Amino acid sequence: MLARHTPARRRTLAVVVSSAMALAAVLVTSSASHPAQAAGGNVTIQVLSNRADLVSGGDALVRVTLPAGARTSDAEIHLNSKRTTALRPDSSSTLTGLVTGLRVGSNEIIAALADGRAARLVITNHPSGGPVFAGPQLHPWICDNASGGNGPPTDAQCTTKPSYQLMYQAAPESFQPYDPASPPAVVPTTTTDQGKTVPYIIRVERGTMDRGNYEAAVLWDVKANRPTAWNHKLLVPFGASTAVHYGSGAATSVTDDVDPAALAFPYSTLALGRGFLVADNSLNIHGQNANDVVSAEAVMMLKERIVEQYGAIRYTIGNGCSGGAIQQHMLTSMYPGLLDGILPNCSFSDVFTTAPDVLDCHLLLNYFDNTS
């Protein structure tokens, strides 16, 4: 395993590239790839949304940094030999933008100055339906897009266009659709952990990724049409139980925004109102997908999507009960840095301590119901 220390804001993700024996491992960076730099020059290229060889979905957030004295207007950037204007100046020495239209496989980005200083970076793009590092996918597979509120699939990987819906907190524990053209008379407010008091309006994004259904929700500024109150923290609610299903299934609801005291094992626990972005994939429900490597891949792809569409992630917290706790423990063990903190509930130390009790319960119940 290769290791590199990076600043705290650059989270690292140890990715196990799994075969049946799960033997190989590589270290990846989840918030930025290592910058590419030409020999003798100071031009650098970085992928901000993931490591350059683990990109998915045909797009990547890219930044080019120029040496001192160079002007951004002097930089030419090419994608696969064609000039691109996707990157725009965001400081006197950097250009940043979402590069789209990446083909599956290798893509070459070159950033060059007129004096010959340049940098080259190869981005390896994977399909939005996966896989990225988890290996051959399970077959057969049912694209159950409808259970996740998504449209029909356009291919065997369950791919469909994402959809967006505005909602507001009509009452505690209840979100209703919000229509900007005909807003409700009263919209409650919420105060984030950053001290911002805003209307309690969220935008829910739904789509498919890695053959699973995903949801993402965050406080939404309707006038600005962006998440101005987002605290750049991400909560991933992992689902309970354990089983293997040959289909997508529904993601854990990201609008489960209830009082923690009202639930024995709360999930979102008021995170939305505090400013968190809450997101998960149906593959992060252990009762639908018991392959923790695939669960990790789905989280990585989801985080990439969030960075590209919403902005940088400050840190990622996981929570969940039982099978959701298993996933958190497994992912933090196998892939350090994918989750920056975990909140496992109703955990158990090992399968063998729990399984005999479960089996005995079935035998005793059968005896009492049918024999005694």
Side-chain angles (χ1 to χ4, degrees):
M1 181 178 291
L2 303 175
R4 175 180 176 180
H5 296 289
T6 56
R9 65 176 180 274
R10 295 183 180 178
R11 298 159 300 283
T12 58
L13 162 63
V15 172
V16 178
V17 183
S18 294
S19 63
M21 299 300 294
L23 296 177
V26 293
L27 186 73
V28 308
T29 303
S30 65
S31 61
S33 66
H34 304 323
Q37 183 171 326
N42 294 318
V43 180
T44 62
I45 307 174
Q46 292 174 278
V47 178
L48 302 179
S49 48
N50 205 344
R51 202 174 78 174
D53 60 338
L54 297 173
V55 166
S56 63
D59 50 20
L61 187 64
V62 176
R63 172 169 292 165
V64 170
T65 302
L66 304 178
R71 297 181 300 179
T72 55
S73 58
D74 294 334
E76 284 197 12
I77 302 168
H78 290 79
L79 170 64
N80 295 329
S81 301
K82 295 183 179 180
R83 187 168 183 179
T84 176
T85 58
L87 278 67
R88 301 297 178 88
D90 56 350
S91 77
S92 60
S93 60
T94 59
L95 301 96
T96 306
L98 185 65
V99 176
T100 60
L102 299 177
R103 61 197 180 201
V104 174
S106 297
N107 298 265
E108 181 184 66
I109 291 187
I110 294 177
L113 295 171
D115 61 10
R117 287 179 291 180
R120 172 182 176 271
L121 180 66
V122 174
I123 296 177
T124 304
N125 174 55
H126 303 79
S128 62
V132 179
F133 64 77
Q137 294 177 320
L138 185 68
H139 288 283
W141 189 264
I142 299 172
C143 290
D144 185 16
N145 289 20
S147 69
N150 291 307
T154 59
D155 57 28
Q157 300 299 94
C158 310
T159 306
T160 189
K161 291 183 178 180
S163 63
Y164 305 92
Q165 181 184 22
L166 292 175
M167 305 185 78
Y168 76 103
Q169 191 191 55
E173 306 178 27
S174 175
F175 283 91
Q176 299 296 326
Y178 177 88
D179 183 1
S182 181
V186 177
V187 176
T189 61
T190 185
T191 301
T192 72
D193 62 5
Q194 308 295 304
K196 295 182 179 180
T197 300
V198 296
Y200 207 154
I201 300 171
I202 63 173
R203 191 181 79 163
V204 180
E205 176 183 343
R206 296 182 178 90
T208 60
M209 184 181 297
D210 210 14
R211 303 195 305 177
N213 290 302
Y214 77 87
E215 286 191 10
V218 67
L219 288 171
W220 198 257
D221 187 329
V222 177
K223 292 182 179 179
N225 196 31
R226 58 192 181 95
T228 55
W230 181 31
N231 58 18
H232 291 271
K233 303 171 185 177
L234 170 63
L235 176 71
V236 180
F238 290 90
S241 189
T242 184
V244 177
H245 289 268
Y246 292 81
S248 309
T252 298
S253 174
V254 294
T255 58
D256 186 12
D257 199 44
V258 302
D259 185 344
L263 286 178
F265 310 112
Y267 286 94
S268 296
T269 59
L270 300 176
L272 286 171
R274 292 176 180 144
F276 280 72
L277 191 153
V278 181
D280 79 301
N281 189 308
S282 59
L283 300 176
N284 302 134
I285 299 176
H286 216 247
Q288 295 178 168
N289 166 50
N291 187 327
D292 297 310
V293 177
V294 174
S295 177
E297 180 178 82
V299 172
M300 183 194 71
M301 295 175 71
L302 186 60
K303 291 179 67 172
E304 178 186 340
R305 169 77 181 178
I306 290 168
V307 173
E308 292 168 352
Q309 298 297 317
Y310 299 93
I313 299 171
R314 180 180 173 189
Y315 58 71
T316 303
I317 302 294
N319 77 343
C321 168
S322 188
I326 291 175
Q327 289 178 93
Q328 293 175 73
H329 287 301
M330 293 296 289
L331 267 58
T332 52
S333 175
M334 297 189 301
Y335 307 94
L338 182 60
L339 301 175
D340 299 297
I342 60 174
L343 297 168
N345 297 310
C346 42
S347 299
F348 46 88
S349 57
D350 59 83
V351 172
F352 296 102
T353 301
T354 306
D357 292 339
V358 174
L359 296 175
D360 284 347
C361 284
H362 284 285
L363 292 172
L364 291 170
L365 184 62
N366 178 68
Y367 176 79
F368 292 136
D369 285 348
N370 302 316
T371 305
S372 173

